[in-house]
Amino acid sequence: MGPLLEVRDLYVGYGWDKQSVTTIVRGVNLTVASGEVVGLAGESGCGKSTLAFAASGLLEPPGRVISGQVLFEGTDLMELPAERLRAMHLAQISMVFQASMNVLNPVTRIREQFRDAMKAHGVGSAEEASARAKEMFARVKLPERFLDAYPHQLSGGMRQRAVIALALSLGPKLLFLDEPTTALDVVVQRSIIQMLNDLRREFGFGVVFITHDLSLLVEIADRIAIMYAGAIVEEAPAQSLYERPEHPYTSALMNAFPPLGGTRQRLEGLAGQPPDLRRLPAGCAFAPRCPQVIAGTCDKVAPPEIRTAPGRRVACHLYAKTTAAGPLSQGERLGGEVAASG
């Protein structure tokens, strides 16, 4: 059985014509299996949200897919007509957007917003739509009376639960979560993450979870992919990545989080800024900030992608001569990802 979602060598950019396109996502390969949580982490501007929009079929101009494939249950979303792709949204692929608490219509009661969404996907009966909205509110632990409330009458955490209920109302197989706990306090974050885990176990949908909070991903994700300057620089099972990060960028991200116990220690920030994606440096994009840069190599030659262990890959010159398997071809990369996800 193949993966639920398979992204193959995807390049995505922004621009109104081919001459002015700035490439934001560069050669990404990624898979998601049913019931699996795959985390995407990296600094702001690294391409996480753009990748999610392209992979979910929600990318709009001036965004454009330059090349590559996005396969959902074996069907290439890039080749589907707009009408069929629209019909898949919410019903098979759904997204909880960044700052999603603001996506609810402020002048419409929440019940009506459920009805509108379901009507657009063939649920013609208002009674059936209301019944499904009540069911989903119960699933996300919201009192039914808030269906007749306006969004401003709910707290931030309650609005977030309402948005998640709406995203899951038609039983999608794949859910994209783009910073779903942003602007929420840690107690509310914890309750929403626990709720999402419970729903995933119950319904079996796959999840792509995007966040800056790598410590959160370590706790909830099955696999984690680290993005830098539009490319995935490391992917590994969550626990392996936490215990033994391989890419210097991943190590820097891990060292930026304070430990919950142990002796006090100084945190080390990552020096420098992410590169301008319009003018990437030669060689490795991380080389100007890397504490382990190999002069004459990292600043001149793009790093190969290396499989360092089953289910692990890293794009870094530090491993090019020490791994018996050697650099991966595109076919080997995709085959390794499918095996890891399965």
Side-chain angles (χ1 to χ4, degrees):
M1 182 177 177
L4 180 65
L5 178 73
E6 186 174 0
V7 178
R8 293 181 174 179
D9 202 26
L10 187 66
Y11 286 80
V12 184
Y14 290 95
W16 292 109
D17 53 70
K18 293 183 179 180
Q19 288 71 35
S20 63
V21 171
T22 298
T23 303
I24 304 298
V25 172
R26 303 181 295 119
V28 165
N29 294 284
L30 193 69
T31 63
V32 183
S34 295
E36 182 183 33
V37 178
V38 175
L40 279 176
E43 292 171 281
S44 294
C46 70
K48 304 185 299 296
S49 295
T50 296
L51 172 59
F53 276 98
S56 62
L58 289 170
L59 188 70
E60 295 183 345
R64 60 171 63 190
V65 173
I66 300 169
S67 63
Q69 292 180 297
V70 177
L71 304 178
F72 178 76
E73 295 187 318
T75 299
D76 192 348
L77 299 184
M78 303 296 104
E79 297 181 354
L80 292 181
E83 295 78 11
R84 186 175 171 192
L85 192 59
R86 178 180 173 83
M88 292 180 67
H89 293 144
L90 201 63
Q92 297 188 60
I93 302 173
S94 198
M95 177 178 282
V96 175
F97 297 95
Q98 193 170 8
S100 61
M101 292 182 294
N102 298 324
V103 305
L104 294 170
N105 189 329
V107 297
T108 304
R109 297 183 191 274
I110 293 174
R111 185 188 302 271
E112 294 303 317
Q113 299 188 47
F114 270 83
R115 288 176 178 171
D116 288 344
M118 294 182 198
K119 183 178 180 181
H121 288 81
V123 180
S125 166
E127 291 75 17
E128 182 182 352
S130 291
R132 195 168 300 183
K134 291 177 184 178
E135 178 187 354
M136 291 312 303
F137 257 46
R139 300 281 189 182
V140 300
K141 299 179 175 59
L142 278 177
E144 181 183 326
R145 68 180 185 274
F146 288 110
L147 276 170
D148 293 312
Y150 291 98
H152 72 271
Q153 295 175 302
L154 278 63
S155 69
M158 293 171 72
R159 288 199 301 271
Q160 188 68 298
R161 287 173 183 266
V163 169
I164 292 170
L166 181 57
L168 296 176
S169 59
L170 294 180
K173 298 178 181 180
L174 179 64
L175 180 64
F176 287 85
L177 297 168
D178 192 358
E179 299 279 0
T181 57
T182 298
L184 301 177
D185 64 64
V186 292
V187 175
V188 176
Q189 285 183 22
R190 167 65 60 178
S191 66
I192 287 179
I193 293 303
Q194 183 60 55
M195 178 199 71
L196 283 167
N197 260 331
D198 293 342
L199 291 169
R200 177 178 62 92
R201 294 189 187 100
E202 181 178 357
F203 294 109
F205 52 81
V207 176
V208 178
F209 195 112
I210 300 170
T211 182
H212 294 92
D213 191 343
L214 189 53
S215 62
L216 176 63
L217 283 185
V218 168
E219 182 177 350
I220 67 170
D222 299 300
R223 286 185 291 124
I224 298 175
I226 304 297
M227 289 192 71
Y228 186 80
I232 292 179
V233 296
E234 182 171 1
E235 182 185 354
Q239 193 63 32
S240 298
L241 186 135
Y242 172 73
E243 294 173 350
R244 187 171 54 88
E246 293 182 335
H247 197 282
Y249 179 61
T250 308
S251 298
L253 290 180
M254 296 294 294
N255 291 335
F257 289 97
L260 296 178
T263 58
R264 295 175 62 184
Q265 56 183 323
R266 180 182 295 275
L267 295 178
E268 298 294 336
L270 181 57
Q273 296 291 329
D276 184 341
L277 293 176
R278 296 170 299 178
R279 292 180 289 274
L280 286 174
C284 176
F286 186 60
R289 307 173 71 189
C290 182
Q292 297 175 265
V293 63
I294 304 172
T297 298
C298 296
D299 55 352
K300 296 184 182 300
V301 181
E305 191 169 279
I306 308 295
R307 183 185 292 117
T308 58
R312 293 204 69 159
R313 57 180 172 131
V314 61
C316 184
H317 286 293
L318 294 173
Y319 299 87
K321 295 182 180 180
T322 59
T323 304
L328 279 66
S329 68
Q330 180 184 344
E332 290 173 324
R333 290 199 303 269
L334 294 173
E337 289 166 8
V338 173
S341 66

